[in-house]
Amino acid sequence: MDKNYFSDITDLFIKAKKAEKIDVNPHSKAAIREMLAYKVDEMKQADMTPEKGFFAKWKYQLVGVPASLFAVFMVVFAFQNLAIIMPKEDFAPEATEGSSMEQSEAEINIFGEPEIKDTPVIEEVTEVSSPKPKPELLVIDYGETVQPQTSTTPKTGGGYVPSSYTQPVVQPTETVEPTFKPYVAPVATPKVTVPKVTTPKVTSPTEIEPEETTSTTTPGVSTGGAFSVYTPTTEETFTPPSTNYDDSTQSDPTFDIYTPTSDGYGYTLISEEKEETGDIYVVPVPEANIPNLDMNPDVVNDLMQGNIPAPSPGTSNENKDQGSINEYRDPFNPHVQTFDTEALNTIEKPDTLDNVNVHYLNRDQAAVEVVDDNSTRWYMFETQNGTWKVTQKFD
Amino acid sequence: MTNSQDLQQEKLLVEAAQKDPDGFLELYDKYFDQIYRYIYRRVGGDKDVAHDIGSQTFLDALENIQSYTFQGHPFSSWLYKIAHNNVIKWYRKTNKRQHVPLDEAYNLSDKTQNTKEEMEGILAQEQISEMMTHLDMDEQEILRLKFFEGLSNIEIADIMGLSVSNIGVKVFRTLKKAKGLLPTKHDLKQFN
């Protein structure tokens, strides 16, 4: 390749450059220079400014960022805890069940003692699942009183139980009329004079008015009222107020229970369990504790064998020489028909009759204990249409 | 003053400008005309556009003077590079083709009032303008930087972001291509 191969090109560019006349506008150059000078002044001004320290440079960020985050969290948490309680669809704002008004009514005790209604409805207060309202929270409340406490306190009568009832009490759901079939007289023995002749003469026992028993403080469970518990004294003989009793009053919710003194029969009518708080609760007497001598031959045998201690007879004997007929009435069934002496004529009685003890098992049954010098015999009497007849004999 | 002395002096100016922004004004005074003409040629002789691009070029240079590192090249190469990028941005922004009218690009004067030397120069400009229309952008830029701006291959490579050897090859091929585009002496005799 020739050294001057591109000489014509280069010469052409040289000629063109020489002929080039590009005048730089001095005003434009000055304007740009002024602009650059102004920019230089700004840069120098920025450089002249003393450099700020770290805190002075970032103080707003150091303070502002945490404050902003705190504000954001506050707003978030505030809206999270904003519980809006909406009533149920079937909720009636005017409903008063469980309201404080009903509670005050329930606390009225017309009997002067704590009253628990017959059918206590133990309602479990639903636990309020929503958080406890805070002052800043929006709670839509239509007047429903909600106890915020979590409790299983029984709710009686639609009202709230007073705070003294700290422990739920199992209340009887119904009042069971006690049916105490057997009767073994506690201590009193009516005085019956039995002549040694075959026809004993039975005299009616002297009615001894039972002493005014002291009513225990145990509240009764009744429907619409309380029942009283009478504890007979240690009087040897007493007569329940049978004359005042009327069958027509069976439906009356108020009835009396006579509890004989403890004589080893092992049944207790009233449980006097007392709470430490002083409140007395009535526990129904289980029927298992009541000996059913009616249809249980074993019990009768026990009675015959003396396993069940019988009351001491003879206190009411009018004529001890002639023996005596002790008539034990069921205090709980004082209306039982009197075992007449004619019935005794149907059994064989030895001449050396000491005592004849009549144990009323129920209205229609009676166990007669004939005691002579050497042996004791038992007869089971049953009555039909007022006539007592021997049905069984136990030697 | 040798070339190395120019570079050393230029380095001192740049270091002074990096320490004190006022020193940049001295660099501006030294290189503004050169950069302005380059921009003026690139934008087709539009003075207003050349003014805007020129001001933006030196403003960018002022703001980034701290990042400039002297690598043995003239400082003007860095300014050319900034100007080259701004011109490209302007073309992209205005969506114009980089076709430079002959009379506007080279500011041709009235032919009737020029001397023979001037007439030859004007004729050369016309031939170059005609030739440029057959070259692509990189080839035009290489010839422009090579012959009008008088830059070396190293500077051109730095401006265009290419290697020096690649620029050497491109310069050779572009000149060879341009030579083929020029009219021969026989053509010129027939034209005359």
Side-chain angles (χ1 to χ4, degrees):
Chain A
M1 182 179 292
D2 189 6
K3 184 180 180 181
N4 297 322
Y5 180 76
F6 297 114
S7 60
D8 50 352
I9 298 295
T10 57
D11 292 341
L12 190 64
F13 275 102
I14 290 172
K15 290 179 182 178
K17 186 176 180 180
K18 286 183 178 178
E20 185 182 49
K21 293 180 180 179
I22 301 176
D23 297 330
V24 177
N25 190 352
H27 299 287
S28 175
K29 183 178 180 180
I32 294 173
R33 194 179 195 283
E34 186 177 357
M35 183 267 294
L36 291 175
Y38 179 77
K39 186 68 176 178
V40 167
D41 290 339
E42 285 186 352
M43 295 173 68
K44 290 177 66 176
Q45 191 72 20
D47 294 338
M48 293 287 291
T49 305
E51 189 175 357
K52 295 179 180 179
F54 177 79
F55 181 75
K57 193 173 182 179
W58 298 97
K59 60 181 179 181
Y60 296 110
Q61 286 79 357
L62 290 174
V63 176
V65 171
S68 301
L69 290 175
F70 178 75
V72 170
F73 284 130
M74 287 294 291
V75 171
V76 170
F77 287 134
F79 278 98
Q80 278 186 343
N81 293 329
L82 185 61
I84 299 176
I85 301 172
M86 297 299 292
K88 296 178 180 179
E89 294 181 356
D90 56 348
F91 174 76
E94 62 274 12
T96 57
E97 182 177 0
S99 63
S100 58
M101 176 63 75
E102 202 165 22
Q103 177 184 0
S104 61
E105 292 175 355
E107 290 176 354
I108 298 173
N109 190 350
I110 60 175
F111 298 100
E113 54 187 358
E115 176 191 354
I116 301 175
K117 292 195 173 182
D118 52 347
T119 56
V121 179
I122 299 176
E123 295 182 1
E124 189 170 300
V125 178
T126 58
E127 182 179 358
V128 180
S129 60
S130 60
K132 189 174 183 179
K134 296 180 179 180
E136 70 273 13
L137 302 183
L138 173 60
V139 178
I140 299 176
D141 190 1
Y142 287 93
E144 182 182 15
T145 303
V146 177
Q147 293 290 340
Q149 59 185 2
T150 300
S151 171
T152 57
T153 304
K155 184 180 178 183
T156 59
Y160 286 92
V161 174
S163 60
S164 62
Y165 289 90
T166 56
Q167 182 175 357
V169 179
V170 179
Q171 300 293 341
T173 56
E174 60 180 350
T175 301
V176 180
E177 182 179 358
T179 56
F180 301 107
K181 302 290 181 60
Y183 170 71
V184 177
V187 278
T189 302
K191 189 174 182 180
V192 178
T193 301
V194 180
K196 287 191 175 181
V197 294
T198 55
T199 304
K201 183 179 181 181
V202 179
T203 59
S204 62
T206 304
E207 289 187 358
I208 301 173
E209 289 295 331
E211 284 190 8
E212 184 67 22
T213 57
T214 57
S215 177
T216 61
T217 58
T218 304
V221 178
S222 64
T223 303
F227 62 85
S228 301
V229 178
Y230 294 94
T231 303
T233 59
T234 56
E235 290 287 332
E236 294 181 348
T237 303
F238 75 94
T239 300
S242 60
T243 55
N244 298 330
Y245 191 85
D246 189 6
D247 284 342
S248 61
T249 59
Q250 284 288 350
S251 59
D252 192 289
T254 302
F255 59 94
D256 297 334
I257 295 175
Y258 297 90
T259 304
T261 55
S262 63
D263 50 6
Y265 281 87
Y267 60 89
T268 305
L269 297 180
I270 302 301
S271 175
E272 295 184 353
E273 294 182 2
K274 293 186 177 181
E275 296 292 332
E276 293 180 356
T277 57
D279 296 330
I280 300 171
Y281 301 98
V282 177
V283 176
V285 178
E287 295 183 358
N289 293 337
I290 302 173
N292 185 5
L293 302 180
D294 187 3
M295 301 302 293
N296 192 348
D298 295 336
V299 177
V300 176
N301 292 331
D302 291 341
L303 187 63
M304 292 168 59
Q305 295 172 4
N307 294 333
I308 300 176
S312 60
T315 55
S316 62
N317 286 350
E318 294 179 353
N319 187 0
K320 292 182 179 180
D321 296 337
Q322 299 299 322
S324 61
I325 295 177
N326 303 320
E327 190 174 20
Y328 302 114
R329 290 190 179 185
D330 189 351
F332 307 105
N333 295 296
H335 56 281
V336 70
Q337 293 182 1
T338 303
F339 187 83
D340 53 3
T341 57
E342 295 179 357
L344 291 177
N345 295 329
T346 61
I347 61 175
E348 296 177 3
K349 293 185 290 296
D351 295 336
T352 59
L353 180 63
D354 289 337
N355 288 307
V356 175
N357 299 324
V358 181
H359 304 269
Y360 288 100
L361 302 180
N362 54 33
R363 181 192 297 265
D364 301 323
Q365 284 184 326
V368 177
E369 180 185 13
V370 178
V371 181
D372 55 10
D373 292 335
N374 298 323
S375 63
T376 301
R377 291 169 295 172
W378 288 83
Y379 298 90
M380 181 66 72
F381 279 78
E382 291 184 0
T383 179
Q384 291 181 353
N385 299 324
T387 302
W388 289 90
K389 293 181 179 179
V390 178
T391 57
Q392 281 182 301
K393 179 181 178 183
F394 304 93
D395 291 330
Chain B
M1 183 179 293
T2 61
N3 192 18
S4 61
Q5 289 178 344
D6 293 340
L7 290 176
Q8 192 65 28
Q9 184 180 2
E10 201 171 65
K11 180 181 178 182
L12 294 176
L13 289 175
V14 171
E15 289 177 355
Q18 289 176 340
K19 294 178 181 178
D20 186 3
D22 287 335
F24 184 79
L25 296 178
E26 190 173 350
L27 293 172
Y28 169 79
D29 294 335
K30 183 178 181 181
Y31 295 107
F32 177 75
D33 294 348
Q34 182 179 346
I35 300 299
Y36 179 81
R37 290 190 183 96
Y38 167 75
I39 296 171
Y40 182 84
R41 295 187 198 102
R42 290 292 308 272
V43 298
D46 191 337
K47 294 182 180 179
D48 294 334
V49 174
H51 173 82
D52 294 338
I53 294 176
S55 63
Q56 184 64 39
T57 298
F58 281 94
L59 185 61
D60 293 342
L62 175 63
E63 292 176 348
N64 297 283
I65 189 65
Q66 302 296 334
S67 63
Y68 174 76
T69 54
F70 187 79
Q71 296 177 347
H73 306 154
F75 181 71
S76 61
S77 300
W78 190 60
L79 294 176
Y80 273 115
K81 185 176 183 179
I82 296 174
H84 171 76
N85 293 331
N86 286 332
V87 169
I88 292 175
K89 287 180 182 176
W90 179 79
Y91 273 108
R92 290 177 180 173
K93 184 177 179 180
T94 57
N95 198 18
K96 286 186 176 180
R97 291 190 61 187
Q98 298 188 35
H99 174 70
V100 182
L102 184 63
D103 52 346
E104 294 178 358
Y106 298 98
N107 195 17
L108 299 178
S109 57
D110 189 2
K111 298 178 182 178
T112 58
Q113 298 178 0
N114 293 329
T115 60
K116 180 182 179 182
E117 187 176 356
E118 293 175 346
M119 286 298 293
E120 291 179 352
I122 291 170
L123 181 61
Q125 290 174 350
E126 290 178 352
Q127 291 177 346
I128 290 172
S129 179
E130 179 63 22
M131 179 187 61
M132 288 293 188
T133 59
H134 296 87
L135 300 177
D136 58 19
M137 294 301 299
D138 288 343
E139 293 171 344
Q140 293 180 27
E141 184 68 10
I142 288 173
L143 293 180
R144 203 177 288 121
L145 293 174
K146 183 69 177 180
F147 296 102
F148 284 98
E149 306 302 331
L151 303 179
S152 65
N153 289 349
I154 298 174
E155 294 172 310
I156 294 171
D158 187 26
I159 292 171
M160 299 187 68
L162 301 173
S163 65
V164 178
S165 60
N166 191 9
I167 290 296
V169 173
K170 282 185 174 294
V171 168
F172 176 78
R173 291 178 179 175
T174 302
L175 288 175
K176 189 176 180 180
K177 185 178 180 180
K179 185 179 178 61
L181 295 175
L182 289 176
T184 60
K185 292 181 179 179
H186 177 71
D187 297 334
L188 291 175
K189 287 180 180 178
Q190 289 183 347
F191 179 74
N192 293 327

